[in-house]
Amino acid sequence: MSSQSDKLAIFMTATDTGVGKTTITAALTLALQQRGQRVGVMKPVETGMDPQRQEHSDTDRLRSLLSPPPPFASICLYAFPQPLAPLACAREAGTTIDVSRIVSCFHDMTRHYSLLFVEGAGGVFTPITPTHTMRDLMVTLNLPALVVGRTSLGSVNHLLLTLEALQGVGIKTCGIALNEPVSHTRTSSRRQQQTSTVELIRELSTVPVFGPVGFQETLQTHWRKGVETLANHPEIQRLASHLIEKLP
């Protein structure tokens, strides 16, 4: 499950965009650090990043959790202001995303950490270049995936399609993390919907399921405090234990 025999690296992917990959990655990073693990993070491509507010970017939030925080450019190789797919962003910017550069940076990062999270952009078929998707990048890096999904209506379909897409090219999935990235009115219908979604995902998927991790309002006002709270969530702690078991 790693690029080197004594290291573990995991690709953080999702059913689609906006499901909370960065939040789950951050919470896991803190939870594993609490257990004495030297954790690193990479977000090779970030889109929709305001260059005037870099400190609010997903990349900067992730790097702030590391001690000492590595240079921004060592975590994120391609940052684009447009909220578009990476391929579209690169075309707008008149550049090309170099997958071999991402691979080289990845191998350099693995030398510094015992566990490295590589966070993708969007879902598994998000295009990076005309010939590479996020799934292709996972294959190239030879990494297992941890899939972040929602608990809302449609999530069973999205998750099973994602798992099938990963299995189709031999990518191992080490877990599913169910997250609630937005607040919902807790009606009886909503509760029934969430309960049935979680139950069906547990029943139909062939990999361990963790969560759901409920919406954390503090994330909107004080991101670091919100992530610290989530790091102690029982399901995040259970997932952290699951990943530690996979360390060489």
Side-chain angles (χ1 to χ4, degrees):
M1 282 204 172
S2 60
S3 63
Q4 300 177 30
S5 60
D6 60 341
K7 306 287 185 179
L8 175 66
I10 296 170
F11 200 101
M12 301 294 291
T13 191
T15 51
D16 54 18
T17 191
V19 302
K21 286 192 306 296
T22 300
T23 299
I24 297 298
T25 302
L28 277 173
T29 295
L30 291 181
L32 288 160
Q33 286 175 342
Q34 291 169 4
R35 299 173 185 225
Q37 297 298 321
R38 182 157 174 75
V39 186
V41 294
M42 270 188 76
K43 188 171 177 68
V45 182
E46 181 169 355
T47 66
M49 193 193 83
D50 185 344
Q52 303 303 318
R53 304 182 69 201
Q54 182 175 297
E55 70 277 8
H56 295 290
S57 67
D58 288 346
T59 299
D60 205 63
R61 284 173 164 172
L62 289 172
R63 69 183 285 273
S64 72
L65 303 177
L66 309 184
S67 182
F72 185 100
S74 70
I75 293 180
C76 181
L77 283 70
Y78 298 94
F80 300 103
Q82 304 94 338
L84 307 171
L87 174 57
C89 286
R91 285 172 170 168
E92 286 278 335
T95 189
T96 301
I97 294 173
D98 184 350
V99 174
S100 65
R101 182 182 169 211
I102 294 174
V103 173
S104 177
C105 182
F106 165 76
H107 287 299
D108 181 64
M109 291 286 282
T110 58
R111 289 198 288 268
H112 302 288
Y113 302 99
S114 60
L115 196 156
L116 178 67
F117 290 117
V118 181
E119 184 186 322
V124 297
F125 285 123
T126 297
I128 306 172
T129 75
T131 57
H132 281 76
T133 64
M134 283 292 163
R135 186 176 73 163
D136 295 317
L137 180 59
M138 291 181 229
V139 171
T140 301
L141 295 176
N142 190 28
L143 296 183
L146 196 154
V147 181
V148 182
R150 308 177 194 267
T151 60
S152 54
L153 194 62
S155 297
V156 175
N157 177 63
H158 295 159
L159 267 166
L160 294 180
L161 283 173
T162 298
L163 292 178
E164 185 172 298
L166 295 173
Q167 292 165 358
V169 289
I171 297 170
K172 294 181 179 179
T173 304
C174 56
I176 294 169
L178 297 178
N179 184 50
E180 294 183 16
V182 296
S183 177
H184 291 281
T185 303
R186 306 301 292 180
T187 62
S188 59
S189 176
R190 167 64 188 166
R191 285 193 295 271
Q192 181 184 30
Q193 181 187 97
Q194 183 192 65
T195 299
S196 67
T197 296
V198 174
E199 288 177 349
L200 285 172
I201 289 170
R202 291 185 186 279
E203 176 186 344
L204 299 174
S205 68
T206 57
V207 297
V209 179
F210 302 86
V213 177
F215 173 72
Q216 175 61 249
E217 190 172 356
T218 312
L219 290 167
Q220 310 299 313
T221 56
H222 195 306
W223 188 83
R224 177 63 182 255
K225 184 177 179 181
V227 167
E228 289 172 350
T229 299
L230 285 182
N232 292 307
H233 189 288
E235 289 299 291
I236 293 295
Q237 288 289 322
R238 190 166 73 89
L239 178 50
S241 297
H242 173 69
L243 296 181
I244 285 176
E245 290 175 359
K246 297 186 178 300
L247 281 167

